[in-house]
Amino acid sequence: MIFRKELPKARDWLLALLTLGLLAGCATTDTGPAPADSGEIVKSPNDKREYRHLVLDNGLRVVLISDLETDKSAASLSVFRGSFDDPEDRPGLAHFLEHMLFIGTEKYPETDGYFKFVQSHGGSSNAYTASEHTNYFFDIQPAFFRQGLDRFAQFFISPLFNKEYVEREKNAVHSEYQLQIKDDSWRGFAVQKVMFNPEHPMSKFNIGTLDTLSGDVHSSLLDFFEKQYSANQMGLVVLTNETLDEMEPWVTEMFAPIENRQLAPIERTAPLFTEGALPGTLRYQNLKANHELSFAFPIPSQLPYYRSKPANYIANLLGHEGEGSLHKALTEKGWITSLGAGDFNVDPNNSLMYINLELTEDGAGKTEEITRFVFDYLALLRASDVEAWRYEEQASVAEIGFRFAEKSQAMGVVSGMSPALQHYPAEDLLVAPYLMEEFDKELIASFIDVLTEDNAMVAIAGPGYDGSQTEKWFSVKYDVETGPVAVADIETAGLGLPEPNPFLPENLDLLEAGDGKPVVVVEKDAKAVYLDTDVEFGVPRAVVHVSVRNDGGLVGLQDSVNAALYSSLVQDSLNALAYPAYLAGVSYSLATPPKGFRLSVGGYADKQLVLLSDVLDRFVGLEIDPERFRVLKSEYVRNLRNSFKDRPYEQGMSRLRSQIINSSWTAEAQLEALEPLTLQQLIAWRKQVLAKNAVEALIVGNADEQRARALADLLEKHLNVAEVNVVGASNVEVDGVTEVNLEVEHNDAAMVLYVQAEEDGFVERARSGLLAHLIRPGYFATLRTDQQLGYVVAALPVVYQNRGGVGFVVQSPVAPPEVLKIRTLEFLATEVGRITDMGEEEFADNKQGLITRLTQKDTNLSGRALRYWADLDLGVMTFDSNMQIAAEVDKLSKADMLAELDSLIGKLEDEYVMIFSEGKFAEAAGG
């Protein structure tokens, strides 16, 4: 797989490097000099929004986005400073500052006022500290955007840094650190730092703890804010439903007071590795039973080459999964379960090209053989010609992707664009990720030439490794070996470069739009196909969902386990076939919901049915290779056992689901059903399940009735379509008190507390949903900000099938579960008075905030198709369940909510489910 901005599969340090920035500053970006601007922002022909770039008098770079049709306004401000800029004696200070900016300003001193305002008006807010920037962002109803943005702007103008909350919020940062301390991604990320140059900030700890933030951290915060937060080192993006001319004056006025301290971009002069550090091999310990092998090669920064993307050409070959690929060769050996490749920028001077592999149990003992395959494939690339047609294939797909770019949600747009202001000139902000316009054969070859054995940093991770050294912050056992990397002396036949891609889209014409909702096109003989010819988003794409329903469904334990394993076998067998389609913008998935298997295809409509035919053919007629059965069953077992090491609150939520839904099964139960399963039993089960099937299908997008009928014929060709007893999931009624104590190897305690609505349906979902909306901000502020009970604190609506409910989730390093429940009940008691005293206008605003969330417009085709499919599954043939729930919310009064709150409090005495783990407090209770 090629890694771009999607979440990688591999669970190793490079995964952490790419994905953990949302928690504590692990993303990697660069802060080169402010790019020069030479024109208007280039946008997709499919983009109806209007854009304007400004530089305010204080040096703040601003992008205004006008979207007159948006139902959410949003803003993001990125400060071009991050965890790399922590003082030497204050690791985690940038992250701590990010926390503190939310807790009161001179103009708006209420500690939880910002969150309450945003959430009550249908919005959400977040921030993250990356290595070289810190990004703050929120969205809200347009009618309240100016007020929300003024509160937001004050973060950067006049934060209070109240000493009392400085001392309290240190606990939240420490809780965040404790939350990750047994997570293998974070552990791997931490231990990898020992390989880097100690003089480079990449080697530094970056989350923060009570120790690193001890003493007079208040003075450190003030000093960091005053020395690092400057308007000329920030980028702001604002999107709302006003014209650009209307927006410009008031946005300018609001952000002009941010002080310009005339800071220069940070220059990173230290090399990423010290002399002699490469080649080098790191071996370290995982807590989960995962085996991983990673290769990283230092290369020059790729940012200067964003218009040509030479590294993309290389990553496309390294991460390919088709015939001749490294992935296919190692998968056929039974040594890996996934392979990913890509590049990322560390700082303005350095990038890394990487290859990540997840190993099977067999592969864990073959790391030297796998390394030989990797180095031989790199040698093959060096010996092969850099070919223009390969580059042009990628460039063509990228160009089509930009031409037909779909509208993204407001907050996603602004939060993605504001950090990009430090990388790119304004005109390229939108098009930069797609540009591949300058094929440079020599340049690409120069980067391939440095991917050698002598320039490799290799990391090998596995459970139980007892290294001679221990990493300081996460206590990871490890060893480092410098010098030549160990490789086996074996033949690596079968490696080759991919052939031209047969799935590149050819017909990109748009059809005439349909009536706006799915209509049944085929309905007979246990077969129904629904169609919505939808070209509202201006894209020649479609989404196809097909439910293959068997007698009795996949509700039972054995059926559920068998289906999951069979699904993985089918997908494994399709890798080489389907990967070129994925690269060309057409992809499939195979899921196992309770009613039966679900096949889905998305992307460019042109060749979807070609891919679906191949998938169906493999689905019904797979010749299961005994060795792949053994390997994938082993991986399934390993993943189930690994789930026992998930974070405590995650295990709690998973257990709650299995406690309530009759088709959801615990890992323990699945293991009991899976381990004795034989290949012959699975084949016999497959024959029974596919003996006859009812089918229900939905096509949404650039597809017409002819395509829908062709789909019906395709299903008829591959499946024995007949009436069956369709069975779906159902909920267990909560009757009395159920408390489940999970034994979790973690110091933190956790509580997942759930109260079920009285009955199924939209009326009850509206009641529990509005109550959760009303109490959510205060619950977070009280238990997390004021009481500092933990980093993970949430009150939320919980919907299983069509049954509403309210849930409370806390993971705490400082209090046992019984205390967490008591504090929850105490909070709810205070909410009675708060809601009683709430003015009608404030109550109406809260209702409208939830209604706005429920009725938010679809921004892309896949989201709309998923919403339609969910309604179809519920039998809501008007395809407007969210609108119906919103209408029920609109009817609710304050008296209704007080009654709902009273019922909730009452049920928390004698009719609830509580899943909990005691953590370190179990020893205290027992001793």
Side-chain angles (χ1 to χ4, degrees):
M1 176 173 285
I2 308 166
F3 293 163
R4 294 290 181 268
K5 293 186 181 298
E6 68 269 21
L7 184 70
K9 290 181 182 177
R11 293 182 299 269
D12 56 17
W13 72 279
L14 289 166
L15 165 69
L17 205 58
L18 289 170
T19 63
L20 299 182
L22 289 179
L23 290 175
C26 306
T28 53
T29 58
D30 109 295
T31 56
D37 299 315
S38 60
E40 293 186 358
I41 295 174
V42 177
K43 66 176 187 175
S44 166
N46 201 39
D47 189 349
K48 296 177 183 177
R49 290 166 169 155
E50 297 296 328
Y51 301 83
R52 179 178 295 169
H53 176 251
L54 314 167
V55 179
L56 304 190
D57 290 342
N58 61 359
L60 178 66
R61 298 189 71 195
V62 180
V63 173
L64 305 177
I65 307 176
S66 171
D67 183 349
L68 301 181
E69 298 178 352
T70 189
D71 48 15
K72 280 286 185 72
S73 297
S76 170
L77 188 146
S78 282
V79 182
F80 304 153
R81 296 292 190 271
S83 61
F84 274 8
D85 304 302
D86 284 340
E88 286 293 323
D89 61 342
R90 288 291 191 194
L93 188 65
H95 176 220
F96 184 39
L97 176 60
E98 172 223 309
H99 278 238
M100 287 304 306
L101 288 194
F102 289 96
I103 308 179
T105 61
E106 290 181 11
K107 188 173 182 179
Y108 301 101
E110 188 180 6
T111 55
D112 63 342
Y114 167 76
F115 280 120
K116 285 171 64 176
F117 184 86
V118 169
Q119 293 184 19
S120 65
H121 294 108
S124 58
S125 179
N126 212 334
Y128 65 85
T129 305
S131 57
E132 296 202 306
H133 73 265
T134 306
N135 192 349
Y136 304 81
F137 45 94
F138 80 103
D139 66 2
I140 200 169
Q141 295 175 66
F144 299 93
F145 184 52
R146 290 198 188 191
Q147 297 172 65
L149 194 64
D150 189 46
R151 292 170 182 266
F152 180 77
Q154 293 302 310
F155 292 175
F156 313 100
I157 298 169
S158 60
L160 282 180
F161 295 130
N162 182 295
K163 283 190 175 182
E164 175 189 357
Y165 281 97
V166 167
E167 290 306 307
R168 290 190 189 185
E169 198 63 20
K170 286 194 299 189
N171 295 313
V173 172
H174 189 75
S175 294
E176 189 172 349
Y177 163 60
Q178 291 292 112
L179 177 72
Q180 317 301 349
I181 203 162
K182 290 197 171 185
D183 180 272
D184 278 336
S185 293
W186 278 96
R187 287 163 48 82
F189 173 55
V191 75
Q192 279 291 331
K193 291 173 178 285
V194 305
M195 296 290 287
F196 294 108
N197 180 3
E199 300 301 315
H200 193 285
M202 188 73 170
S203 66
K204 305 297 190 292
F205 175 68
N206 59 350
I207 302 177
T209 70
L210 287 174
D211 289 334
T212 70
L213 302 174
S214 64
D216 184 15
V217 74
H218 182 263
S219 296
S220 301
L221 274 175
L222 293 175
D223 186 65
F224 190 87
F225 182 77
E226 291 169 0
K227 289 183 178 178
Q228 302 294 353
Y229 272 47
S230 175
N232 74 318
Q233 291 297 306
M234 297 179 180
L236 170 70
V237 182
V238 178
L239 184 157
T240 192
N241 62 347
E242 301 180 31
T243 67
L244 295 172
D245 288 340
E246 289 169 336
M247 294 168 65
E248 183 172 338
W250 65 264
V251 171
T252 299
E253 179 182 5
M254 209 172 276
F255 287 86
I258 299 177
E259 187 173 346
N260 182 1
R261 297 181 169 92
Q262 302 293 335
L263 300 184
I266 298 289
E267 292 188 15
R268 314 282 179 201
T269 57
L272 192 56
F273 295 94
T274 57
E275 180 111 15
L278 299 182
T281 303
L282 172 76
R283 302 176 189 273
Y284 66 91
Q285 175 195 69
N286 274 341
L287 294 181
K288 289 186 175 181
N290 293 324
H291 300 274
E292 296 143 10
L293 175 61
S294 299
F295 301 82
F297 305 87
I299 58 176
S301 171
Q302 295 298 291
L303 283 171
Y305 309 108
Y306 77 91
R307 303 188 73 87
S308 58
K309 297 184 177 60
N312 280 27
Y313 178 97
I314 304 167
N316 179 65
L317 298 174
L318 293 175
H320 209 280
E321 297 182 11
E323 295 296 332
S325 68
L326 191 57
H327 178 278
K328 189 170 191 295
L330 295 174
T331 300
E332 288 180 344
K333 293 281 187 183
W335 293 345
I336 70 168
T337 58
S338 72
L339 181 153
D343 72 284
F344 65 91
N345 285 289
V346 177
D347 63 31
N349 302 311
N350 299 286
S351 291
L352 287 170
M353 177 68 70
Y354 57 88
I355 305 168
N356 298 339
L357 304 104
E358 288 190 358
L359 312 182
T360 63
E361 292 287 343
D362 293 343
K366 300 287 185 180
T367 57
E368 293 184 12
E369 288 82 354
I370 295 169
T371 300
R372 177 79 279 157
F373 269 88
V374 170
F375 286 154
D376 281 2
Y377 195 83
L378 291 171
L380 173 65
L381 294 189
R382 290 194 297 275
S384 301
D385 196 23
V386 176
E387 297 176 283
W389 70 264
R390 297 187 188 279
Y391 185 90
E392 288 162 4
E393 268 195 359
Q394 290 179 263
S396 173
V397 172
E399 186 277 327
I400 292 170
F402 183 67
R403 191 197 329 169
F404 296 110
E406 290 187 80
K407 188 175 185 178
S408 299
Q409 292 187 348
M411 192 158 73
V413 170
V414 298
S415 63
M417 190 179 289
S418 71
L421 279 162
Q422 65 181 315
H423 302 312
Y424 307 118
E427 63 265 25
D428 288 342
L429 284 169
L430 295 172
V431 73
Y434 300 89
L435 289 173
M436 289 188 72
E437 59 185 19
E438 300 170 4
F439 174 64
D440 188 328
K441 181 175 181 176
E442 288 71 25
L443 181 65
I444 295 171
S446 73
F447 286 119
I448 294 175
D449 285 344
V450 300
L451 307 182
T452 66
E453 298 181 34
D454 293 336
N455 195 38
M457 176 174 127
V458 180
I460 304 171
Y465 182 78
D466 188 19
S468 62
Q469 301 186 71
T470 303
E471 186 274 332
K472 177 179 180 180
W473 301 102
F474 287 78
S475 300
V476 187
K477 294 286 190 179
Y478 74 94
D479 286 305
V480 174
E481 304 166 12
T482 56
V485 176
V487 294
D489 183 15
I490 59 169
E491 291 295 322
T492 55
L495 297 177
L497 303 186
E499 297 295 320
N501 194 331
F503 284 96
L504 293 176
E506 297 171 14
N507 181 1
L508 298 171
D509 296 334
L510 293 178
L511 301 167
E512 288 190 19
D515 295 333
K517 293 254 178 99
V519 295
V520 64
V521 174
V522 176
E523 188 173 30
K524 68 177 242 184
D525 300 330
K527 178 174 70 232
V529 178
Y530 295 82
L531 168 70
D532 175 23
T533 304
D534 187 339
V535 292
E536 178 184 339
F537 302 106
V539 295
R541 301 187 183 101
V543 177
V544 180
H545 292 301
V546 178
S547 179
V548 181
R549 296 168 175 177
N550 59 292
D551 258 324
L554 304 175
V555 175
L557 172 59
Q558 197 66 56
D559 287 328
S560 177
V561 166
N562 290 5
L565 178 56
Y566 184 68
S567 171
S568 69
L569 285 161
V570 171
Q571 293 175 85
D572 176 73
S573 75
L574 283 164
N575 266 344
L577 174 72
Y579 193 74
Y582 160 76
L583 292 178
V586 188
S587 60
Y588 85 99
S589 64
L590 177 57
T592 58
K595 287 184 180 178
F597 288 97
R598 184 176 70 241
L599 294 161
S600 301
V601 180
Y604 298 112
D606 184 29
K607 297 182 179 179
Q608 281 184 344
L609 293 191
V610 176
L611 176 60
L612 182 59
S613 179
D614 290 335
V615 171
L616 280 166
D617 188 57
R618 198 67 56 89
F619 172 67
V620 299
L622 174 65
E623 293 185 14
I624 303 176
D625 179 87
E627 179 61 16
R628 297 310 294 163
F629 173 83
R630 183 188 69 80
V631 169
L632 292 177
K633 177 184 170 184
S634 173
E635 290 308 302
Y636 188 1
V637 168
R638 185 169 72 172
N639 289 336
L640 289 171
R641 289 178 177 160
N642 279 339
S643 70
F644 300 135
K645 295 184 182 294
D646 287 344
R647 296 181 181 99
Y649 83 93
E650 293 172 337
Q651 292 194 50
M653 295 181 75
S654 177
R655 182 55 182 267
L656 175 64
R657 181 177 177 83
S658 63
Q659 197 75 30
I660 299 300
I661 304 178
N662 73 333
S663 61
S664 181
W665 301 95
T666 66
E668 294 92 338
Q670 291 180 66
L671 283 167
E672 189 175 340
L674 176 62
E675 289 183 312
L677 180 65
T678 66
L679 173 57
Q680 291 70 30
Q681 288 171 332
L682 185 65
I683 292 172
W685 174 87
R686 191 256 312 262
K687 181 179 180 181
Q688 174 190 341
V689 166
L690 298 183
K692 58 178 182 176
N693 301 100
V695 293
E696 189 167 61
L698 169 70
I699 307 181
V700 180
N702 196 46
D704 55 15
E705 187 171 325
Q706 181 180 356
R707 178 69 62 89
R709 294 190 181 281
L711 172 62
D713 292 342
L714 191 64
L715 296 173
E716 193 79 48
K717 173 185 174 184
H718 286 91
L719 300 168
N720 181 21
V721 180
E723 295 287 348
V724 299
N725 177 33
V726 177
V727 176
S730 61
N731 290 339
V732 174
E733 294 288 332
V734 176
D735 183 15
V737 173
T738 300
E739 294 189 348
V740 179
N741 185 356
L742 300 179
E743 293 185 8
V744 180
E745 290 184 28
H746 200 290
N747 284 338
D748 287 3
M751 175 197 76
V752 176
L753 189 59
Y754 167 73
V755 171
Q756 191 176 60
E758 287 294 325
E759 56 187 31
D760 290 359
F762 295 157
V763 173
E764 289 290 337
R765 283 177 61 179
R767 293 177 70 92
S768 58
L770 181 55
L771 180 60
H773 179 78
L774 287 168
I775 66 177
R776 181 181 179 183
Y779 188 71
F780 179 86
T782 301
L783 273 70
R784 185 188 181 283
T785 305
D786 293 338
Q787 300 179 13
Q788 288 293 312
L789 290 178
Y791 180 71
V792 175
V793 175
L796 63 162
V798 180
V799 179
Y800 292 131
Q801 313 309 335
N802 198 22
R803 175 70 68 95
V806 177
F808 301 91
V809 181
V810 185
Q811 181 169 319
S812 176
V814 298
E818 58 268 25
V819 171
L820 302 178
K821 186 190 174 194
I822 290 169
R823 298 291 178 86
T824 299
L825 288 167
E826 290 173 349
F827 164 77
L828 292 172
T830 66
E831 285 294 276
V832 174
R834 187 184 72 85
I835 294 177
T836 299
D837 295 339
M838 184 181 289
E840 289 300 327
E841 182 178 354
E842 183 182 356
F843 182 75
D845 285 346
N846 272 277
K847 278 206 312 184
Q848 188 55 48
L850 179 57
I851 289 169
T852 298
R853 283 188 178 185
L854 288 167
T855 59
Q856 191 169 348
K857 297 171 187 171
D858 300 312
T859 57
N860 55 57
L861 191 66
S862 59
R864 176 168 292 171
L866 194 61
R867 179 171 63 83
Y868 284 164
W869 183 257
D871 279 356
L872 188 60
D873 202 46
L874 280 177
V876 182
M877 306 313 292
T878 50
F879 298 97
D880 63 348
S881 60
N882 284 353
M883 292 293 184
Q884 292 189 47
I885 296 169
E888 295 299 333
V889 170
D890 195 43
K891 298 175 186 177
L892 294 171
S893 66
K894 196 166 71 170
D896 292 328
M897 285 299 94
L898 286 168
E900 189 75 7
L901 178 57
D902 184 64
S903 173
L904 175 68
I905 293 171
K907 286 184 175 182
L908 283 172
E909 295 294 332
D910 57 17
E911 195 174 297
Y912 64 87
V913 177
M914 179 171 162
I915 315 294
F916 65 94
S917 60
E918 296 180 308
K920 64 186 178 185
F921 304 100
E923 295 177 9

